[in-house]
Amino acid sequence: MFSTKIKTLLQEKLPGLPYSVCSRSLRHDIDALVAEALGPMKLAVIDDRHTGEAFGDRVFKALKGRFPTTHVTLPPFPQADDVTADYLRTQTLSCDALVAVGSGTLGDLCKYVSHMDDKPYVIFPTAASMNGYGSGNASITVNGYKKTLTAHMPKAIFCDLSVIAAAPARLSKAGLGDALARPTAQADWLLSHILLGTPYDETPFQLQQDIEPQLFDSARGIALADPPTIELLTQLCILSGFGMAIAGGSQPASGGEHMIAHAMEMSVECGVWSMEKKILPNSKLQTPTTALHGEAVGVTTLTMARMQEQLLSANPRLHDDDFPDAKIKALYGEQRMLEAKKAFAKKQAAIANLASWQSAVEKITSIMLPSAKLQSILEAAQAPTTPHALGWDDKTYAATVETARFLRDRFGFLDIENA
């Protein structure tokens, strides 16, 4: 699936590397692949109504003749939250392993549930819509607060490119948005390393350095569902997940741009602003008209990239304001405000150890991509580039950019401002 150079690097840095297969079609190999990855076990195939139609039903039929297999199909657009996770744990109690068929939400739920119950899992992606397939962490909403929780990597990732390329173009554009966050997330991570001495590893970015420019240069192919471009996107998404596993966290792929995106999602849930939810017609794997996570990240990445460019050419200082209890409560709710206050206290304790700012500028500039370049990539893919394109209210978006830094203890460019 990957070049010899990438395979060698992965084998060196990631001893528990998942078995990965990427083929034009896996139609006749499903049961053999799962048998090779898991052995004789009682399985639970987990999908939702849309991913079931796209591929889950086919996976279940292929496995049920060879293994004792249960089929658990969630409603359309399930939530990756503690309630759904508890439901899946109950439904898969008697099973030995999980077989996830889906993308971000299904992947996060299955990796988290299988980790909690100490069971292996494999995944059949149905779209190149996000970069968490190979990671060891899961984004789960707990008591209304989105958290990155410890999980574990899959035993195997089986990519049927005919299924992935047939997914709605919006899902591939969302995957591009997630991939586009690499420069801004790396800049945040490197800033924290230089100024605060937090751990930093170049390996996740070395994995992506050959494929990323190929994908970005051919971004137009994403809008056209061009199979070679979708294959590049799929590979990059998987490698980004492996990079997170190597780092032991989401830092290589998630910085201030993800903080803003998650904060906007929280604002929606709290009813600060809302949009009518509809379903796209004439699509096997349908998507809601509300912003997909990767679409949101593409837009917030542009915001973050512009902010980083401005700060790197200025003489910035740390924000020195106190935690705004009332504002955070109004935007995200009381429970999230209490959680955020704890996270902010940890960050403030770390900021007390700051060193010189100037030592960071040259190193960070060398690993960034210009915001204009990032925008041109999204435009080529016909992906959203503005908050307005996502249906986001300008006033709420501005307040979210201003307050997102309070929601996580991770340090980055959101924590500094022009002097």
Side-chain angles (χ1 to χ4, degrees):
M1 183 176 183
F2 302 115
S3 68
T4 301
K5 181 175 76 172
I6 291 175
K7 287 179 181 178
T8 300
L9 194 58
L10 285 170
Q11 289 167 356
E12 177 186 344
K13 295 289 187 174
L14 202 59
L17 181 67
Y19 174 35
S20 302
V21 175
C22 193
S23 172
R24 293 185 182 275
S25 176
L26 299 177
R27 184 182 300 270
H28 303 296
D29 303 315
I30 292 171
D31 60 332
L33 289 169
V34 173
E36 185 175 355
L38 296 176
M41 290 184 172
K42 185 175 182 180
L43 306 176
V45 174
I46 313 296
D47 56 22
D48 64 36
R49 197 184 80 197
H50 294 139
T51 64
E53 292 175 2
F55 202 39
D57 293 342
R58 197 183 313 169
V59 171
F60 175 65
K61 290 176 183 176
L63 296 179
K64 69 177 183 179
R66 184 164 182 169
F67 307 92
T69 306
T70 299
H71 195 176
V72 181
T73 298
L74 297 172
F77 314 121
Q79 298 297 309
D81 58 22
D82 47 352
V83 174
T84 309
D86 287 343
Y87 171 78
L88 278 182
R89 293 184 71 182
T90 301
Q91 294 298 305
T92 60
L93 193 62
S94 63
C95 298
D96 302 315
L98 276 57
V99 179
V101 184
S103 54
T105 298
L106 265 297
D108 279 339
L109 284 168
C110 289
K111 73 170 66 173
Y112 178 67
V113 167
S114 62
H115 173 72
M116 292 293 290
D117 292 338
D118 195 24
K119 298 175 180 178
Y121 83 101
V122 300
I123 187 163
F124 289 86
T126 53
S129 57
M130 59 95 205
N131 59 3
Y133 288 118
S135 72
N137 47 271
S139 293
I140 303 292
T141 300
V142 180
N143 294 323
Y145 194 83
K146 189 179 287 290
K147 296 184 176 183
T148 300
L149 301 178
T150 299
H152 59 188
M153 290 186 296
K155 288 291 184 182
I157 304 171
F158 301 127
C159 299
D160 186 312
L161 291 174
S162 67
V163 172
I164 294 173
R170 276 190 72 196
L171 298 178
S172 298
K173 294 174 187 179
L176 175 65
D178 242 357
L180 209 71
R182 190 282 305 163
T184 54
Q186 185 178 1
D188 272 341
W189 196 23
L190 184 53
L191 177 71
S192 180
H193 170 67
I194 294 171
L195 298 187
L196 300 183
T198 52
Y200 175 79
D201 189 344
E202 288 282 349
T203 306
F205 311 114
Q206 293 170 356
L207 292 173
Q208 302 175 58
Q209 65 185 10
D210 293 334
I211 295 177
E212 181 186 278
Q214 294 181 58
L215 174 67
F216 289 175
D217 287 345
S218 59
R220 183 171 178 271
I222 291 175
L224 302 175
D226 172 60
T229 306
I230 300 300
E231 183 173 4
L232 284 173
L233 176 62
T234 301
Q235 291 179 344
L236 191 63
C237 286
I238 292 172
L239 287 172
S240 180
F242 288 161
M244 286 187 271
I246 290 170
S250 62
Q251 289 91 335
S254 175
E257 73 295 320
H258 274 73
M259 291 185 192
I260 299 169
H262 287 317
M264 282 300 294
E265 291 164 4
M266 292 180 189
S267 296
V268 176
E269 293 169 11
C270 288
V272 173
W273 62 276
S274 63
M275 300 191 319
E276 183 182 2
K277 293 185 178 180
K278 298 179 180 178
I279 304 302
L280 296 177
N282 304 320
S283 172
K284 257 191 172 183
L285 185 58
Q286 297 170 325
T287 58
T289 56
T290 48
L292 300 175
H293 173 70
E295 290 177 317
V297 169
V299 170
T300 60
T301 292
L302 296 184
T303 298
M304 202 68 220
R306 292 169 188 140
M307 183 185 302
Q308 289 172 343
E309 287 171 346
Q310 292 172 357
L311 290 170
L312 287 168
S313 62
N315 183 25
R317 67 181 183 187
L318 292 173
H319 286 289
D320 57 3
D321 48 341
D322 294 327
F323 186 86
D325 298 63
K327 181 181 286 189
I328 300 299
K329 182 178 178 180
L331 282 168
Y332 312 113
E334 183 173 6
Q335 181 60 40
R336 291 190 177 106
M337 182 272 289
L338 295 173
E339 294 278 354
K341 197 166 187 176
K342 295 177 184 177
F344 182 68
K346 293 180 182 178
K347 185 185 295 188
Q348 288 298 97
I351 288 173
N353 299 319
L354 279 174
S356 170
W357 157 257
Q358 290 301 325
S359 63
V361 173
E362 185 175 343
K363 293 179 181 178
I364 295 173
T365 301
S366 70
I367 56 88
M368 295 175 65
L369 289 179
S371 60
K373 169 69 172 176
L374 298 177
Q375 179 163 337
S376 70
I377 292 167
L378 287 176
E379 289 173 345
Q382 298 176 23
T385 59
T386 66
H388 179 74
L390 299 175
W392 284 356
D393 171 76
D394 290 341
K395 183 178 180 181
T396 304
Y397 185 68
T400 301
V401 173
E402 180 185 347
T403 57
R405 64 191 177 89
F406 294 107
L407 303 181
R408 200 174 191 180
D409 60 1
R410 192 173 292 175
F411 178 80
F413 279 84
L414 288 176
D415 295 292
I416 58 181
E417 63 181 346
N418 282 325

